[in-house]
Amino acid sequence: MAKTPRAWQRMLSGRRLDLLDPTPMDIEVEDIAHGLAFVARWNGQTQGDFAYSVAEHSLLVEEIFGRMVPKATPAHRLMALLHDAPEYVIGDMISPVKNAVGPAYEELDKRLIAAIHIRFGLPAVTPVRLKKQIKKADLVSAWMEAVQIAGFGPAEADKLFGAPDAALIEGLDIRLRAPKEVRRDYLARHADLLAQL
């Protein structure tokens, strides 16, 4: 009889997260912040001395989302901050790889985000309208990243991600920082939003 392959990962918090059947009890924000601070966007193909992390991206998306939806509730802003949280264990796959992997990646992502949301008192599934708003903020962030650090020209980024409203990104810049700094800021923003729920 064949042995079932291991589908769990030990977290630094000591939790044992089953990737196929995640439970909210095994989710800790410290694990999320730590993992995301070390996961590179763009497969690491960015300029600078530090990788552009998913944690930094998540902070930017939450900021852009707040500008797009000024009356967003703290819960909605927390969902924006956590939009890529499953990547703390499954990594960040660029869109072409996600498309090649197919529905299996999406299903894994859905299970993880549901457990993460429940852990922090949010609905398991992000409402459709809110998900679209967060995705729009995500695309604005992707445009900024593409142009500022990933070697894309504005015209190419416009075709792939859509040209952002200049007023929406005024004063925002891509930040490349040490993982410990990004982790600290991610944890602080998460705590701030959680306290407002």
Side-chain angles (χ1 to χ4, degrees), residues 17-179:
L17 181 66
D18 185 333
L19 300 179
L20 299 179
D21 188 21
T23 67
M25 294 295 293
D26 292 322
I27 306 291
E28 297 292 346
V29 69
E30 292 81 7
D31 293 331
I32 293 171
H34 181 81
L36 294 183
F38 283 92
V39 173
R41 293 223 350 128
W42 303 91
N43 277 349
Q45 297 300 305
T46 54
Q47 300 165 358
D49 293 328
F50 293 106
Y52 184 69
S53 73
V54 175
E56 193 76 75
H57 163 78
S58 298
L59 288 163
L60 181 59
V61 168
E62 190 261 330
E63 172 70 25
I64 293 167
F65 171 77
R67 290 179 175 202
M68 288 172 45
V69 187
K71 293 184 179 180
T73 66
H76 290 173
R77 291 192 72 146
L78 184 55
M79 283 188 243
L81 181 68
L82 294 169
H83 79 284
D84 279 339
E87 294 178 8
Y88 86 108
V89 287
I90 58 176
D92 178 42
M93 286 192 200
I94 59 173
S95 295
V97 175
K98 285 180 187 174
N99 294 336
V101 171
Y105 179 88
E106 188 177 336
E107 188 56 38
L108 187 60
D109 185 77
K110 281 181 186 177
R111 276 183 262 167
L112 284 163
I113 198 69
I116 291 165
H117 277 189
I118 292 167
R119 171 66 176 87
F120 300 116
L122 301 169
V125 177
T126 305
V128 173
R129 183 169 181 263
L130 177 59
K131 191 168 186 163
K132 287 179 181 177
Q133 290 170 326
I134 293 170
K135 183 61 182 173
K136 188 173 180 184
D138 191 39
L139 289 171
V140 171
S141 177
W143 185 93
M144 290 177 63
E145 295 162 25
V147 171
Q148 291 184 28
I149 59 170
F152 289 65
E156 185 180 16
D158 288 353
K159 286 180 190 174
L160 291 170
F161 309 110
D165 178 353
L168 187 63
I169 60 174
E170 186 178 344
L172 294 179
D173 286 306
I174 299 300
R175 299 172 70 192
L176 299 171
R177 302 184 290 158

